[in-house]
Amino acid sequence: MSSAVVRPRPRTLWEQGVRPARDAVPLGIALLVTAMVLDLMLSEGLGLFYDLVFVTLSVAAALTIRHEDFFAVGVAPPLAMFTVVLLLAVSEPGAIAQAGDGAVQATVSGLSAHALALAGGYGACLALLLVRRQYAERHPR
């Protein structure tokens, strides 16, 4: 009699996400606000450092979230970017627009100034979620 032990295959990158949205989304927003503060301490306005952190956090969220919570992470990046830009538009409009701009104009200017980071981070997030979903459909556990 052979007693072969069948071991489950190791989880791939596409299957490893186990973090619930109720943990991942607030953590991502907190890290994004921290990046905003650091960027404003290091420079006069919101810049490249913030953009790079935004893209990185969007990718990380898409890879670490569990499958049941894809929707929450799928809508979080643009809302997080809007929240940070709105906070700056109300409190320090000169960091994202002209110092004399109103909150609405500063919000629009801030979003347009960071549109490449928003499109890149959000696009990468959605693409990764799509790949993870398709992989899970083809390789059920």
Side-chain angles (χ1 to χ4, degrees):
M1 288 202 132
S2 68
S3 59
V5 176
V6 178
R7 295 179 191 227
R9 64 178 168 76
R11 294 171 71 100
T12 65
L13 174 67
W14 312 119
E15 298 172 301
Q16 289 186 7
V18 294
R19 185 176 302 273
R22 70 177 187 278
D23 294 343
V25 173
L27 175 62
I29 292 173
L31 291 171
L32 198 58
V33 169
T34 302
M36 173 196 70
V37 170
L38 288 173
D39 199 9
L40 292 177
M41 289 173 54
L42 297 172
S43 63
E44 294 179 11
L46 209 55
L48 183 61
F49 176 74
Y50 171 81
D51 289 346
L52 293 174
V53 170
F54 177 81
V55 171
T56 303
L57 288 174
S58 296
V59 168
L63 291 174
T64 60
I65 198 73
R66 64 184 180 186
H67 287 272
E68 299 84 31
D69 294 334
F70 277 6
F71 179 78
V73 169
V75 299
L79 294 175
M81 175 73 83
F82 176 75
T83 301
V84 168
V85 170
L86 183 62
L87 285 171
L88 283 175
V90 170
S91 64
E92 188 66 35
I96 54 172
Q98 299 294 323
D101 286 350
V104 174
Q105 178 62 41
T107 301
V108 171
S109 295
L111 287 174
S112 65
H114 298 280
L116 286 178
L118 178 59
Y122 192 40
C125 178
L126 291 178
L128 287 169
L129 291 174
L130 176 65
V131 168
R132 287 187 62 203
R133 192 185 106 219
Q134 289 177 343
Y135 185 88
E137 287 174 357
R138 290 189 184 124
H139 301 92
R141 274 195 114 12

